[in-house]
C-alpha cells in the first residue's frame, strides 16, 4: 500500500538558517510527489511537485526538493528560512486510479527561532 | 485567478443531525476531491469524482455520500453526525491530462463542529 513517512514531527530552526524536511514514500510505480504547506487554520498550498523528469524540483517561496528513487525520498530544502515559513509541511504522494487521490504524510511542524 | 470555493466556511451541528458541504471547483476543472482533516491530523482522502462519476474512494464512512453535478460542483452529505466528525473538510479540484490527474488545488476548507 502507498504510504508517506515524515520522521520529524517538529523542527525548530533559526531565521536565516538552512532547512531540510525529510520525506520517505512507499509506492510501487513511479510516484507523483508533492509538498504542501499549511498555516494554522488555513488551507493547503502546493509548494512543488514531481511527476517526472529532472529529479531536482524548484517550487515557490524559494523551496526545492530532490527525488531520490534509490532512497525512496523526496526531501524539501530551503537555503535560508524566513519567519513567515513557520507552518505545517505535508509531503504527499498521488495514488489511486490516475493518481486521483493524495496520501499525505503526518506532517512536520516548522518553528522559526528569531 | 479563480480558486476552489467551499461553503459554508464554518458549520455547527448537533449530534445525529445532517450536514451538506458544497464545493465549486476552478473553472474547467473536471475532477473534485474531498478530504477530512481532524485536529492535529493529516488530511485523509474521502472520495473523488471525475466527470460526475466516482473515481476513487477512501476512508469515507457509510453515513457520508457525495456527488458531482452537471456544472461540476460537488456536495458532501453527512448524516447521523457524530462528535468525531468534527474536522476541517477540504475540497480540491484538478483537470486530467493524458488520463492522469494533474495538480490538485485546494479550497480553504469547511470547519465542521459537532456538538
Amino acid at each position: 500500500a502507498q504510504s508517506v513517512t515524515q520522521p520529524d514531527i517538529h523542527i525548530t530552526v533559526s531565521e536565516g538558517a538552512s532547512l531540510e524536511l525529510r520525506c520517505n514514500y512507499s509506492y510501487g510505480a513511479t510516484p507523483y510527489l508533492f509538498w504542501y504547506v499549511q498555516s494554522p487554520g488555513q488551507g493547503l498550498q502546493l509548494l512543488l511537485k514531481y511527476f517526472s523528469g529532472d529529479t531536482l524540483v524548484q517550487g515557490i517561496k524559494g523551496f526545492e526538493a530532490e527525488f531520490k528513487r534509490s532512497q525512496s525520498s523526496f526531501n524539501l530544502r530551503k537555503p535560508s528560512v524566513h519567519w513567515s515559513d513557520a507552518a505545517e509541511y505535508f509531503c504527499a504522494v498521488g495514488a489511486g486510479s490516475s493518481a486521483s487521490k493524495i496520501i499525505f504524510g503526518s506532517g512536520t511542524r516548522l518553528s522559526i527561532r528569531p | 485567478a479563480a480558486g476552489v470555493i467551499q461553503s459554508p466556511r464554518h458549520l455547527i451541528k448537533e449530534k445525529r443531525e445532517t450536514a451538506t458541504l458544497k464545493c465549486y471547483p476552478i473553472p474547467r476543472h473536471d475532477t473534485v476531491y474531498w478530504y477530512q482533516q481532524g485536529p492535529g491530523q493529516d488530511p485523509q482522502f474521502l472520495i473523488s469524482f471525475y466527470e460526475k462519476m466516482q473515481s476513487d474512494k477512501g476512508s469515507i464512512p457509510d453515513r457520508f455520500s457525495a456527488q458531482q453535478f452537471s456544472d461540476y460542483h460537488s456536495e458532501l452529505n453527512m448524516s447521523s453526525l457524530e462528535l468525531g466528525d468534527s474536522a476541517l473538510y477540504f475540497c480540491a479540484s484538478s483537470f486530467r491530462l493524458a488520463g492522469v490527474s494533474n495538480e490538485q488545488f485546494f479550497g480553504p476548507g469547511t470547519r465542521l463542529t459537532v456538538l
Side-chain angles (χ1 to χ4, degrees), chain A residues 47-60:
Chain A
L47 287 176
L48 46 78
K49 63 183 185 284
Y50 171 78
F51 281 4
S52 65
D54 193 348
T55 56
L56 184 62
V57 181
Q58 300 297 321
I60 62 171

Side-chain angles (χ1 to χ4, degrees), chain A residues 32 34 36 38 41-44 46 49 51 90 95-102 104-107, chain B residues 33 35 37 41-43 45 48 55-57 88 90 96 99-104 106-108 111:
Chain A
Y32 297 100
F34 310 87
Y36 285 89
Q38 184 179 35
Q42 300 298 309
L44 293 156
L46 180 69
K49 63 183 185 284
F51 281 4
F90 292 99
S97 59
S98 307
S100 61
K101 64 181 178 182
I102 289 179
F104 289 86
S106 54
Chain B
Y33 315 78
Y35 294 84
Q37 185 178 29
Q41 304 294 314
D42 55 288
F45 171 77
S48 64
S55 177
D56 253 306
K57 195 171 183 179
L88 193 55
F90 288 109
R96 283 199 181 182
V100 178
S101 297
N102 216 311
E103 169 188 340
Q104 294 183 26
F106 282 78
R111 183 169 296 282

Side-chain angles (χ1 to χ4, degrees), chain B residues 13 16 28-31 44-45 55 57 76 80 104 107:
Chain B
K13 290 286 185 178
R16 292 180 289 278
R28 291 185 293 281
H29 280 194
D30 50 23
T31 309
Q44 294 290 317
F45 171 77
S55 177
K57 195 171 183 179
L76 177 66
S80 302
Q104 294 183 26

Side-chain angles (χ1 to χ4, degrees), chain B residues 60-95:
Chain B
I60 183 169
D62 292 341
R63 300 177 288 108
F64 294 6
S65 65
Q67 58 182 321
Q68 185 181 29
F69 295 86
S70 57
D71 64 350
Y72 294 98
H73 94 273
S74 178
E75 294 183 4
L76 177 66
N77 298 292
M78 311 159 70
S79 62
S80 302
L81 287 170
E82 302 173 356
L83 295 178
D85 296 328
S86 295
L88 193 55
Y89 290 84
F90 288 109
C91 173
S93 75
S94 73
F95 66 91

